[in-house]
């Protein structure tokens, strides 16, 4: 359970660039993160249902009718893998922060960066196809963070209608591959764009 940190402890942490875990959570770091793993698993259980049910209904209806048991089993395994991935990712971040913070007695940003990089390996819980999807979702967020970091330090400035240009560039690449190299697109994505763009010439 997260504790309320006294003001004097916060002041001391800002002064010394360190705060002891006893002021942040109950018990040992390992025990706290085991509880966090279970809480995260429960909290994301409903969130991941649409990610696995909707593709099943939209793109695998024939398989579902032909072999319902195997298809549902495959979907259930994928759902469980997603839950384990997210719970393990969160607990790995916090546990790594605890370990490095206590080991080096610092709150340096490198601690958080190392924790994030370490936790990224939890993506191996996911199926290869889901790893691609997660990467495609996360990478633009990474670029956005880098851009905001540079903008805050006045290294770059916003480009007028920049988001529109990026969207146009992305769509032009998708349309090109849709017509010229359809095998490069995931089947479910190809089906969606086929409904939008029509039969490829």
């Amino acid at each position: 359970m997260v504790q309320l940190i006294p003001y004097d402890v916060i002041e001391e942490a800002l002064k010394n660039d360190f705060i002891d875990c006893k002021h942040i959570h109950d018990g040992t770091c390992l025990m706290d993160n085991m509880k966090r793993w279970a809480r995260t698993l429960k909290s994301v259980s409903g969130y991941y249902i649409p990610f696995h049910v909707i593709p099943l209904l939209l793109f695998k209806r024939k398989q579902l009718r032909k072999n319902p048991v195997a298809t549902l089993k495959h979907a259930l395994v994928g759902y469980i893998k997603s839950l384990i991935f997210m719970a393990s990712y969160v607990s790995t971040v916090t546990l790594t922060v605890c370990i490095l913070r206590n080991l080096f007695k610092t709150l340096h940003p490198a601690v958080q960066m190392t924790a994030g990089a370490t936790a990224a390996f939890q993506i191996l819980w996911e199926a290869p196809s889901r790893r691609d999807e997660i990467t495609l979702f996360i990478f633009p967020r990474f670029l956005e963070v880098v851009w905001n970091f540079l903008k805050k330090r006045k290294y770059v400035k916003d480009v007028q209608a920049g988001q529109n240009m990026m969207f146009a560039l992305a769509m032009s690449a998708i349309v090109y591959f849709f017509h010229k190299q359809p095998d490069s697109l995931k089947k479910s994505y190809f089906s969606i764009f086929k409904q939008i763009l029509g039969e490829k010439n």
Side-chain angles (χ1 to χ4, degrees), residues 48 52 56 69-85 125-127 130:
Y48 271 106
H52 292 274
L56 184 68
V69 175
T71 305
L72 290 173
K73 180 181 177 181
H74 183 268
L76 180 60
V77 170
Y79 172 69
I80 293 173
K81 284 183 176 181
S82 292
L83 296 184
I84 294 175
F85 155 66
W125 282 105
E126 287 280 14
R130 285 279 299 154

Side-chain angles (χ1 to χ4, degrees), residues 2-182:
V2 177
Q3 300 177 353
L4 292 177
I5 304 175
Y7 183 74
D8 59 329
V9 174
I10 296 176
E11 281 193 325
E12 189 69 18
L14 293 174
K15 179 180 178 182
N16 298 323
D17 194 31
F18 175 73
I19 184 169
D20 197 284
C21 284
K22 68 182 181 181
H23 299 299
I24 301 175
H25 58 72
D26 295 324
T28 65
C29 297
L30 180 60
M31 184 58 65
D32 177 72
N33 279 280
M34 289 175 66
K35 294 177 181 178
R36 191 186 304 276
W37 189 93
R39 289 197 304 268
T40 304
L41 194 75
K42 181 180 179 181
S43 65
V44 300
S45 58
Y47 173 80
Y48 271 106
I49 290 176
F51 284 91
H52 292 274
V53 172
I54 293 177
L56 184 68
L57 298 177
L58 289 180
F59 307 115
K60 297 184 178 180
R61 284 176 294 181
K62 291 182 179 179
Q63 296 178 31
L64 194 58
R65 288 194 296 266
K66 185 177 180 180
N67 197 345
V69 175
T71 305
L72 290 173
K73 180 181 177 181
H74 183 268
L76 180 60
V77 170
Y79 172 69
I80 293 173
K81 284 183 176 181
S82 292
L83 296 184
I84 294 175
F85 155 66
M86 185 54 67
S88 299
Y89 178 86
V90 172
S91 60
T92 300
V93 167
T94 53
L95 181 59
T96 305
V97 167
C98 281
I99 292 173
L100 295 180
R101 180 176 59 221
N102 289 312
L103 181 63
F104 296 105
K105 306 297 182 184
T106 181
L107 296 172
H108 192 276
V111 169
Q112 285 75 30
M113 294 173 66
T114 303
T118 303
F121 286 98
Q122 299 302 326
I123 200 174
L124 295 175
W125 282 105
E126 287 280 14
S129 59
R130 285 279 299 154
R131 295 174 204 166
D132 294 341
E133 292 176 357
I134 293 171
T135 302
L136 289 172
F137 175 79
I138 292 296
F139 188 66
R141 305 287 82 75
F142 164 74
L143 294 179
E144 183 179 7
V145 169
V146 172
W147 180 266
N148 290 334
F149 175 85
L150 295 175
K151 187 173 70 172
K152 185 177 180 180
R153 285 155 180 77
K154 302 186 184 304
Y155 293 128
V156 297
K157 294 182 179 180
D158 280 332
V159 179
Q160 188 174 5
Q163 289 184 337
N164 295 339
M165 289 188 287
M166 290 297 294
F167 179 77
L169 181 63
M171 285 304 299
S172 65
I174 290 173
V175 172
Y176 172 84
F177 283 105
F178 175 80
H179 286 286
K180 301 297 183 180
Q181 299 182 35

